[in-house]
Amino acid sequence: MRGQAERGAVLLVSLVMLVLLTLIGLAGMRMVQLEERMAGNLRDRQMAFQAAEAALRAGEATALARYRRDGPMASVDAAEGVASGFSDSAAQPVYRLRFLRWLLSEGVEVGKGGAANGVAIEVRATGYGVRRQPSGEPVSSVRLSSIYFIR
């Protein structure tokens, strides 16, 4: 008689252990799924940051090219543009240029001993990540700005 009762206890203990292992496995799967989502969001934000930084540099290059080609007066006009090379983004990164002020004999350039003439331009850039919402809008975006001095 005693042997049959012990066999029933082993079955009960093994079923409880199986349930515990199943719960641990399910909890582990949920944690991995959450970490995967977090890593995807971080990657998307990094892509948006890189796109915004590329747009910022493209805006600075445009401001410098306009200044050298058409002189300081061309830098007074506001301008907008798109940075190329981000075909995977949910939207193309864009930049905006805005004239801030003239730099007319504001001081001495370091190491040159002469007056510093030029303009100060604000460059604002927006970059977007790869993923889209169901509505088609980008999931993540990053905005950067810089003040670019051209002399």
Side-chain angles (χ1 to χ4, degrees), residues 6-24:
E6 288 177 0
R7 277 187 271 174
V10 168
L11 178 62
L12 183 63
V13 169
S14 63
L15 285 175
V16 168
M17 293 294 284
L18 185 61
V19 167
L20 287 175
L21 287 173
T22 302
L23 291 176
I24 290 171

Side-chain angles (χ1 to χ4, degrees), residues 15-68:
L15 285 175
V16 168
M17 293 294 284
L18 185 61
V19 167
L20 287 175
L21 287 173
T22 302
L23 291 176
I24 290 171
L26 289 174
M29 285 177 24
R30 280 189 73 174
M31 194 168 14
V32 166
Q33 195 176 35
L34 177 65
E35 289 175 359
E36 183 71 26
R37 260 192 277 150
M38 288 171 32
N41 289 339
L42 180 64
R43 180 183 176 273
D44 199 49
R45 188 183 181 296
Q46 288 296 325
M47 292 293 288
F49 180 80
Q50 290 173 12
E53 194 165 7
L56 193 69
R57 300 298 168 238
E60 290 172 353
T62 300
L64 182 62
R66 288 179 66 185
Y67 182 83
R68 288 186 175 159

Side-chain angles (χ1 to χ4, degrees), residues 51-113:
E53 194 165 7
L56 193 69
R57 300 298 168 238
E60 290 172 353
T62 300
L64 182 62
R66 288 179 66 185
Y67 182 83
R68 288 186 175 159
R69 183 186 65 226
D70 300 328
M73 289 305 289
S75 302
V76 175
D77 298 329
E80 297 180 355
V82 175
S84 60
F86 285 89
S87 59
D88 291 340
S89 294
Q92 290 296 316
V94 294
Y95 63 84
R96 287 191 176 96
L97 305 177
R98 186 172 68 97
F99 171 79
L100 291 178
R101 64 180 299 202
W102 297 103
L103 302 172
L104 300 173
S105 300
E106 300 250 344
V108 177
E109 272 191 84
V110 177
K112 293 192 177 180

